[in-house]
Amino acid sequence: VQLQASGGGSVQAGGALRLSCLISGRAFDSYAMGWFRQAPGKEREIVAAISWSAGSTFYAESVKGRFTISRDNAANTVYLQMNSLRPEDTATYYCAAQDSPEVSGVWTYWGQGTLVTVSS
């Protein structure tokens, strides 16, 4: 299983970005998917997660109302729409997948990071 994240970049505060994560290697709709981020000097934290059916989503409190996770199983892709970006959202963002259709357990597969920089 391979995960390829893209879409990072530099924006001003209040701006928006959409991250994409393409998964390949096995049936895409078998996996719960998630986005994590790691800022310099901080631990990696979960940002959002979505079940295989998209019927269940999870958001960190810090991004609720601003970020939206979605998935297109036909395109083998999960997205993270990030609106109203803040400087504290600056981090390297990673996509991850579980060997489970629901969000539970271990994040087994990881993509490379994509850097998001938000300037004030």
Side-chain angles (χ1 to χ4, degrees):
V1 177
Q2 293 84 40
L3 285 74
Q4 180 73 36
S6 62
S10 297
V11 296
Q12 289 191 327
L17 284 172
R18 188 176 81 156
L19 306 183
S20 300
C21 179
L22 176 66
I23 186 169
S24 60
R26 281 171 55 181
F28 179 64
D29 59 2
S30 299
Y31 301 107
M33 299 289 296
W35 285 97
F36 290 72
R37 67 186 180 186
Q38 187 168 21
K42 295 187 177 181
E43 293 189 353
R44 189 174 298 187
E45 62 177 355
I46 188 166
V47 175
I50 187 168
S51 64
W52 74 271
S53 68
S56 176
T57 56
F58 164 84
Y59 294 94
E61 283 297 324
S62 59
V63 306
K64 278 184 179 179
R66 300 188 298 121
F67 291 11
T68 302
I69 190 170
S70 62
R71 64 191 295 161
D72 181 345
N73 288 350
N76 292 350
T77 303
V78 64
Y79 303 98
L80 185 68
Q81 178 66 44
M82 305 185 295
N83 298 330
S84 302
L85 283 162
R86 304 167 180 169
E88 54 263 40
D89 294 318
T90 295
T92 299
Y93 285 71
Y94 301 86
C95 61
Q98 296 187 352
D99 271 329
S100 166
E102 299 299 324
V103 180
S104 63
V106 178
W107 295 96
T108 304
Y109 309 104
W110 291 86
Q112 91 294 352
T114 185
L115 179 63
V116 172
T117 303
V118 185
S119 58
S120 57

